[in-house]
Each structure stands twice: as structure tokens, then as C-alpha cells.
Amino acid sequence: MSEDRYKDLDPVEQRIAAMRRDGYEPVDWQGRPRVPLGNGPQSALVMATWDIQQKKSLKISDALTANELKRAWLATGSANLQGWLLNTFVTVAWNVAESMSDDRIAYLHRQLFALMGAWFRDERKRIQKFGCPPLAALWVKEVGKFMGLHSHFLVHVPEEIYPGFRTWLIGAIHRLVNAPAVTLDMKPSRAKLLHVSRLPTAHDQWGVFKYLMKAIDTNECFSVSTPDFPHQKYLAVEFADLKPKDQGAVVGARMGYSNSLGPKSQPAHLHDHWQHSLQGGALPYDHSLLNMGLQMRSLKSENEPQT
């Protein structure tokens, strides 16, 4: 019954109270809070009791840069070369469950992405017959007129595990935001916390990719040198055939991707493909990288010694 006095507190304050009740300090020896602090009485007590390490100020992003567009395209291209179509589009409208601070949403976004990675690792251990891949995903954060600060994820999910992933995702979101109910809907609506849709073709994947890049700064350019034009520049919005739209200010990183799609996993010829596209003046959105990856794996299989 001693915990009844905390029942009217929000989840953040209840979590801090539970840590103190169980004998755990909510701040480590370096002054770093072990859980996000809020604006309630428990958080105020923590800040009054401990010397809290001040966070480094994070950069505020008003739009996607040309470099971020390039990194996102290379990450998606890397997925396709590895045979992974980014075939699942997930949107989480964090503020539908409750009004949360940007810091709280940033924390939940990181938690969800980490949990996705852990789920795929568990599936790889559990299922071997079709070679479950690691998490292959691209994400962006935006501030929309109706949804407020929200997250988009473009993820590769094999058909065999999609039902399990969808079920897990619903539960994971439910637990993260402590929502009384989680609903799925294919149609955009600010009343829905979670949206999930499938993208069966490369055309669908690249269509969503372009949608995720809509926050591009209209003044961003790419430079390219050709024999005829040694100092040529392209506006990123025209080179990538994007329809720009203001998506608000985001604190910290605006886009990112899983380690499986990062620079270390990208073959040199993918960057050659990008450079060739620059020289041609248009960014390709087709199935060519999927086909190229399939051919490369086929040749590798043929050249492997038979046992």
C-alpha cells in the first residue's frame, strides 16, 4: 500500500520512485541519470539531491542535407545489393499516446531501434532454414502538422517472419509508451499510434524512400566534374527528383540506419554507381541494384569449391 501515493504520477516519475524504493540510485557516480528525467516531483528531487551531469547541447536540424541524402541512398542501395528489399514501412506517431518532450521521444526512438536489432538477432538464432538477416533499416524523424514529432522506419522483413515481426512491433510500442491500446491502420491519421505497410517491389521501396527525403533543404547542391563541365553543380532536390516539404526542427540526428547498411558494408562499386549517377544528372530509383546483387551472389556461388 506504500506505493499508492505514486499511482497518480506519470510513468517517468513512477519509474524513478520504484528505483528509489528498491534501493537503486537513479543517478550513477558520474552524475548521469539512469532513466530520463521529467518535470514531476520525483525528477525534481533527483535534480536537487545529485549533481547532474549536463548534457551536451545537440544540433538542431531544420532540414536534410545533401550529405544525408547521399548516405541514405547508399544505405538503401547497400541493402538491395545484399538482397534485402526494404519492404516494410513503419510510422510511429509518439504523441498520440501522450504528450511527451522531444528528449523523451528521442529516447523512445533509440530504444525501439535497439529493440528491433535485438528481435532480429533472436530470430537469427531461432530460425536457420532461410537465413534470417540482421536488422536492415533506414529511419528519419520529422515534425508533422498533425502527428507532431514522429519516426519513420524503412525495414527489410522477410515474408516468413513478417507476421511475427508485426505482432512483436505492436507489443513493443505498447510497452514503450505505456499506451492503453495500440492500433494499426494503413490510412494516415493522427489518431493512430502505429502504421505498418508492406512494399512488395523496388518501385514501392524507392517511392517511400523519396517520401522520407522530402525534408531536403532546397538550397543543397551536389558537385560533379566531367570533361565538358569540370565544376558542375546539381540542386539535390532536382537530382533526386524530390518534392520538398518543411518537416520542422528536429533535435539531434534527423536520419540514420542500421550497422548492416553502414559504410563498412558498402562495396566500392556502390559509390561508383552514385558517382555515375551524378555524371548522368539523375538519381536512379529502380531494381538494378537488386539485380546486380543477385548476379554477384550467383557468380560467387558458382566459383565456390564444391564439397
Side-chain angles (χ1 to χ4, degrees), residues 8-305:
D8 294 327
L9 298 177
D10 67 39
V12 172
E13 302 301 304
Q14 288 186 28
R15 187 175 182 185
I16 296 172
M19 290 184 69
R20 293 168 61 85
R21 178 201 64 203
D22 295 336
Y24 295 100
E25 301 290 359
V27 177
D28 69 14
W29 66 275
Q30 292 180 306
R32 297 174 301 187
R34 291 192 168 93
V35 294
L37 300 180
N39 299 316
Q42 293 296 315
S43 295
L45 179 60
V46 170
M47 289 185 281
T49 307
W50 283 272
D51 185 14
I52 304 297
Q53 184 183 105
Q54 296 300 312
K55 293 183 179 179
K56 294 181 180 178
S57 59
L58 296 176
K59 179 181 177 181
I60 297 177
S61 167
D62 294 315
L64 283 167
T65 65
N67 184 55
E68 287 173 322
L69 168 62
K70 177 181 178 180
R71 288 166 51 212
W73 188 89
L74 290 173
T76 305
S78 178
N80 289 179
L81 280 175
Q82 296 177 75
W84 306 332
L85 180 69
L86 300 185
N87 58 7
T88 303
F89 181 34
V90 176
T91 298
V92 183
W94 298 105
N95 277 312
V96 167
E98 60 174 294
S99 181
M100 291 183 280
S101 68
D102 289 358
D103 285 348
R104 177 65 176 166
I105 292 174
Y107 170 78
L108 294 176
H109 173 97
R110 292 193 300 270
Q111 285 290 98
L112 179 59
F113 202 56
L115 289 171
M116 280 189 192
W119 187 86
F120 274 89
R121 286 194 297 272
D122 290 343
E123 286 298 292
R124 294 188 77 186
K125 294 176 182 177
R126 187 179 69 84
I127 302 175
Q128 301 293 332
K129 61 182 179 181
F130 62 90
C132 178
L135 172 64
L138 169 74
W139 61 261
V140 299
K141 288 191 288 188
E142 299 176 338
V143 181
K145 180 178 179 181
F146 297 111
M147 289 192 290
L149 183 55
H150 58 279
S151 301
H152 292 305
F153 300 90
L154 195 52
V155 190
H156 171 67
V157 186
E159 290 292 336
E160 295 88 344
I161 61 173
Y162 173 71
F165 174 77
R166 181 177 177 274
T167 300
W168 169 84
L169 183 63
I170 296 172
I173 294 292
H174 176 88
R175 289 186 294 273
L176 278 173
V177 303
N178 196 31
V182 179
T183 54
L184 285 168
D185 197 327
M186 299 286 283
K187 299 178 181 179
S189 168
R190 61 180 174 179
K192 303 296 181 182
L193 172 64
L194 177 66
H195 307 267
V196 182
S197 56
R198 290 291 271 174
L199 310 172
T201 69
H203 175 77
D204 298 319
Q205 169 203 262
W206 287 117
V208 171
F209 174 89
K210 291 170 66 176
Y211 175 76
L212 298 189
M213 297 296 107
K214 63 184 178 294
I216 189 72
D217 185 334
T218 55
N219 295 317
E220 289 283 297
C221 294
F222 289 109
S223 299
V224 61
S225 295
T226 65
D228 296 329
F229 302 98
H231 302 292
Q232 190 172 5
K233 286 188 175 182
Y234 294 119
L235 281 172
V237 65
E238 295 180 356
F239 169 66
D241 187 27
L242 301 176
K243 296 180 180 179
K245 185 177 180 181
D246 179 32
Q247 293 299 301
V250 172
V251 177
R254 193 176 195 104
M255 61 77 60
Y257 39 76
S258 58
N259 291 334
S260 62
L261 307 184
K264 292 182 179 180
S265 70
Q266 297 169 4
H269 66 267
L270 177 59
H271 293 259
D272 295 338
H273 203 74
W274 169 270
Q275 194 64 27
H276 181 74
S277 300
L278 270 179
Q279 294 174 352
L283 192 60
Y285 298 114
D286 54 31
H287 57 270
S288 59
L289 292 174
L290 279 169
N291 289 345
M292 187 184 302
L294 180 62
Q295 293 172 359
M296 291 167 54
R297 290 190 299 278
S298 178
L299 288 173
K300 181 180 178 180
S301 178
E302 291 177 2
N303 292 329
E304 287 178 349

